[in-house]
Amino acid sequence: MKSKTCDYIKNMPWENRPSGCNDVIWRFSGNPVIGWNPGPDTARIYNSAVIVLKDKFAGVFRADHKNGRAALHYGESSDGIRWNITNERIQWVDEKGKRAVPSYAYDPRVAEIDGRYFISWCDDFNGPSIGVGYTDDFKKFIRLPNAFIPYNRNGVLFPEKVNGKYLMLSRPSDTGHTPFGDIFLSESPDMIHWGNHKLLMKKGGQGWWQGMKIGAGPVPLKTEEGWLLIYHGVSSTCNGYVYSIGGAILDSEDPSKVLYRSGNYLLTPELPYEVSGFVPNVLFPCSMLSDDEGRIAIYYGAADTYSAIAFGMKDEIIDYIKRTHEDIG
Ligand code: BMA
């Protein structure tokens, strides 16, 4: 299937599977690609959304400032690995041009829909909920009304309208670190009015790694087998939460149907930059790049501190999801 992105995707970060590695996805040997204190005012940059923008890579980054608050920042890179990220947060305005910068914002995703870049994130709407906005040039950022009432997180748009409607995944939650959570699918005719909500995927199953809560990750990727959804699954241990990466395939025509869902995780915290940091044991994928050869690069936040990349082949990831499929509901 033809990729929507331009030729620059050929330069996406990539390494072949290391010899002796049997895992379906494998980590970049240069991880982490962003470490502690990356900017004068930023302590940690992670859980971020990377895309290809004509002749470069670009992204909307979650930056936790040195006052502890999270904000969205724009960044660019020629190789998708070394990033120039602005020290100033994104200056959102509303559709009338009035300043509309959220008091905090985190975990962005970027979906290119019909040539326009839509950004969704979690922000303060009298409690956490889903902020939405767009840009055509990554210079001017227009903020739209929040998609949902509080409390909600992990708002992730599909990269095209399906049956004439915009689609968004989200995970209704509470004010805090949500000890529960299932993924819902909602639709909109105009990116403002959201409805026809459907329960898509529930936490649980035989595997404990997704027993406590789940949340959508990168913008879903259209494949011959359906929409490839990479997501995070959380288990609760005596030493806190553990965030792993899983995958599912949704029906192309009716994405409210889950065709397959991985009973095993694809990746779980193991390496020092994943098991140790500001919040240990967190892998949080927010974007992925893919090319016509079926290569996939998943950008994930590690330990709420680092930005990291993992690689895999689309067909192998789909086969793995089918092979370990569990009907969780
Ligand atoms: C979630 C979100 C993520 C974070 C994760 C682990 O609730 O806040 O941004 O990575 O917790 O702390």
Side-chain angles (χ1 to χ4, degrees), residues 32 41-42 47 56 62 98 167-168 181 189 196 199 208 215 252 258 287 295:
D41 299 319
T42 49
N47 299 6
K56 61 185 170 228
R62 169 189 177 150
K98 192 168 158 240
L167 295 183
M168 195 191 297
N196 199 13
L199 174 60
W208 286 354
S252 319
V258 180
S287 57
R295 304 183 306 170

Side-chain angles (χ1 to χ4, degrees), residues 46-47 62 106-107 153 177 213 243 279 282 284 304:
Y46 57 101
N47 299 6
R62 169 189 177 150
Y106 58 83
D107 300 352
R153 290 188 175 89
H177 291 285
K213 57 178 172 172
Y243 283 66
V279 180
V282 179
F284 203 93
D304 285 11

Side-chain angles (χ1 to χ4, degrees), residues 46-47 62 64 70 106-107 109 122 153-154 171 173 176-178 213 232 234 241 243 278-284 286 301-305:
Y46 57 101
N47 299 6
R62 169 189 177 150
D64 286 6
Y106 58 83
D107 300 352
R109 276 72 163 191
C122 180
R153 290 188 175 89
N154 296 302
R171 208 270 309 289
S173 60
H177 291 285
T178 312
K213 57 178 172 172
H232 66 258
V234 182
Y241 296 165
Y243 283 66
F278 192 69
V279 180
N281 297 315
V282 179
L283 305 187
F284 203 93
C286 284
D304 285 11
T305 305

Side-chain angles (χ1 to χ4, degrees), residues 78-128:
S78 59
D79 60 9
I81 296 168
R82 289 162 301 168
W83 289 92
N84 291 320
I85 298 172
T86 54
N87 192 47
E88 187 184 67
R89 73 188 63 201
I90 289 174
Q91 296 298 305
W92 294 95
V93 293
D94 67 18
E95 290 196 284
K96 292 185 177 146
K98 192 168 158 240
R99 184 178 150 82
V101 181
S103 67
Y104 63 74
Y106 58 83
D107 300 352
R109 276 72 163 191
V110 178
E112 182 188 347
I113 310 177
D114 299 332
R116 174 163 276 182
Y117 298 93
F118 288 91
I119 302 162
S120 54
W121 68 92
C122 180
D123 70 7
D124 182 17
F125 189 46
N126 196 33

